[in-house]
Amino acid sequence: MKGLKNFLKGIAVGVATLVPGVSGGTMAIILGIYDDLIHAISSFFKDWKKHTKLLLEIGFGGILGILLFSRLLENALNKYPHIMRFLFMGIIIGGLPLLYRKATASGKRDKKDFIFAILGFTMVLLLSAEPTVTTTMATSQGILSMVFLFIAGIVMAIALVLPGISGSFMLLVLGLYNVTLNAINDLNIPFLIPFGLGIVVGTLATTKIIESFLQKHPNKAYMLIIGFVVGSLLPVFPGVPSTSQLIPSAMVFIIGFIMIFWLGKKGITD
């Protein structure tokens, strides 16, 4: 029964990972599997049989969630790109109160911590400066493209491990979101293999470091994430909606905000 619950929770994390602004890590916290998941990865070789079972249960659920909902999201983005981006913005802003509560949970406040917020904001602006260049590199053929996809997978892994940063949002900032959705739906193996290997290597290489940083310096870590998330609003913003799209854009923005705000509040109090 516990294995089935982990599998279903994995599906929920997989679906959350697909939506820019919704953090798979935050969803894992809400579902009560984040600590077990991070510990299983960071100390995998200490009890590999036990950790393998947990990772397979959650991992297969996550993969199924991604495969089931990736086509739906791709179609929605193609048909309603403007409205969908306002939904993503509502989701991104709705997650900020959760991140701020985590940044100040220890009760120790230092004005210098805001430097990390500025650093995160600056980083995301630099990453999103030339999204068309990254898209071209990802879709071209050859060794350079494979190396780039491998590095992009490592960046994606860091976003997956860190609660509060959405992996799909990271892809959106880098200009790789639509391309990756298309690769998943079309089973583009030359794209998915180096990208997937980057995710695996990045997860194994950075989980212990991220776990330690979050435990030792939670204020600084979450202020960095807040800066990153706030900076993401600029590349996601599609411009002022037309008259016909104004009401639906406002509605989905509010829905996205309320949904993730409620989930974030539930994750703190439960």
Side-chain angles (χ1 to χ4, degrees), residues 39-40 43-54:
H39 180 69
S43 58
F44 178 78
F45 294 104
K46 291 182 179 179
D47 190 352
W48 66 269
K49 289 184 179 180
K50 175 185 175 181
H51 296 327
T52 297
K53 181 176 181 294
L54 177 69

Side-chain angles (χ1 to χ4, degrees), residues 222-242:
Y222 282 104
M223 289 306 292
L224 180 69
I225 294 170
I226 286 172
F228 207 97
V229 172
V230 172
S232 74
L233 291 170
L234 295 178
V236 173
F237 181 58
V240 179
S242 62

Side-chain angles (χ1 to χ4, degrees), residues 60-191:
F60 278 126
I63 292 171
L64 181 61
I66 289 171
L67 291 176
L68 287 176
F69 287 88
S70 60
R71 179 72 69 181
L72 177 66
L73 265 176
E74 185 182 26
N75 290 338
L77 278 167
N78 288 335
K79 291 181 180 178
Y80 313 105
H82 208 95
I83 293 173
M84 288 299 291
R85 282 185 175 247
F86 271 93
L87 173 64
F88 296 159
M89 286 181 64
I91 289 170
I92 291 169
I93 295 174
L96 286 174
L98 167 63
L99 294 174
Y100 185 73
R101 286 197 297 271
K102 283 188 167 292
T104 57
S106 65
K108 298 178 181 179
R109 300 186 183 183
D110 189 340
K111 292 181 179 180
K112 293 180 181 178
D113 290 343
F114 284 96
I115 295 175
F116 286 85
I118 296 170
L119 178 62
F121 183 85
T122 305
M123 284 171 61
V124 76
L125 293 184
L126 292 174
L127 284 170
S128 61
E130 292 292 343
T132 54
V133 174
T134 56
T135 303
T136 302
M137 290 181 68
T139 53
S140 62
Q141 303 296 321
I143 298 296
L144 183 61
S145 175
M146 294 178 67
V147 171
F148 174 76
L149 287 171
F150 180 78
I151 295 172
I154 293 175
V155 175
M156 175 75 168
I158 296 172
L160 291 174
V161 174
L162 274 173
I165 294 184
S166 162
S168 292
F169 146 70
M170 183 71 75
L171 292 177
L172 191 66
V173 169
L174 294 174
L176 298 177
Y177 183 69
N178 286 16
V179 179
T180 304
L181 269 186
N182 185 259
I184 293 171
N185 291 328
D186 294 343
L187 292 178
N188 185 346
I189 302 302
F191 182 102

